[in-house]
Amino acid sequence: QEQLVESGGGLVQAGDSLRLSCAASRRYPVGWFRQSPGKERVFVAFISWTDDPVYEDSVQGRFTISRDNLKNTVMLQLDSVKVEDTAVYHCGRYVRGSVRSPFGYESWGQGTQVTVSS
């Protein structure tokens, strides 16, 4: 099995922008999830094999998921970030079930930390 690799996290101020990358060896449907200490992993965004996006309500209009077909990577553009966006961001390969559930994914990466200061 393949393990996806996330990158691009860092420390930013509220209102700033950041772009995360998820590298894979093939063109998969990919979802982005995030997890804060003591909390469960929650859905952020998904991109299908036809490049149709799905977003969680709290990031709708602020985050944009896209695909770089030449590099087999999926990007997550974070704009107008909020302190509440602070989390470890993970990407996974979608396999089955609801795209909003982390249990339908596999090949999770180690994650990349996004910290938003006020």
Side-chain angles (χ1 to χ4, degrees), residues 11-28:
L11 175 63
V12 295
Q13 296 188 49
D16 284 354
S17 295
L18 200 65
R19 185 165 69 175
L20 309 181
S21 297
C22 175
S25 64
R26 300 176 187 269
R27 191 177 186 275
Y28 300 124

Side-chain angles (χ1 to χ4, degrees), residues 28-113:
Y28 300 124
V30 169
W32 281 98
F33 290 73
R34 62 189 180 187
Q35 187 169 25
S36 299
K39 299 182 179 180
E40 64 182 6
R41 186 170 297 187
V42 297
F43 175 75
V44 177
F46 166 81
I47 187 166
S48 73
W49 66 274
T50 56
D51 290 346
D52 297 312
V54 178
Y55 297 100
E56 195 274 324
D57 288 344
S58 68
V59 307
Q60 181 77 45
R62 297 190 299 118
F63 292 6
T64 304
I65 191 168
S66 62
R67 188 190 302 278
D68 184 336
N69 290 310
L70 297 179
K71 299 179 180 179
N72 288 326
T73 60
V74 172
M75 309 296 181
L76 185 68
Q77 177 72 32
L78 286 63
D79 293 321
S80 301
V81 296
K82 304 175 180 179
V83 173
E84 304 90 89
D85 295 321
T86 296
V88 176
Y89 284 69
H90 298 264
C91 62
R93 174 195 175 198
Y94 173 76
V95 178
R96 66 182 67 85
S98 172
V99 300
R100 299 176 182 269
S101 172
F103 300 107
Y105 293 78
E106 62 183 24
S107 303
W108 295 101
Q110 292 298 305
T112 185
Q113 176 73 49

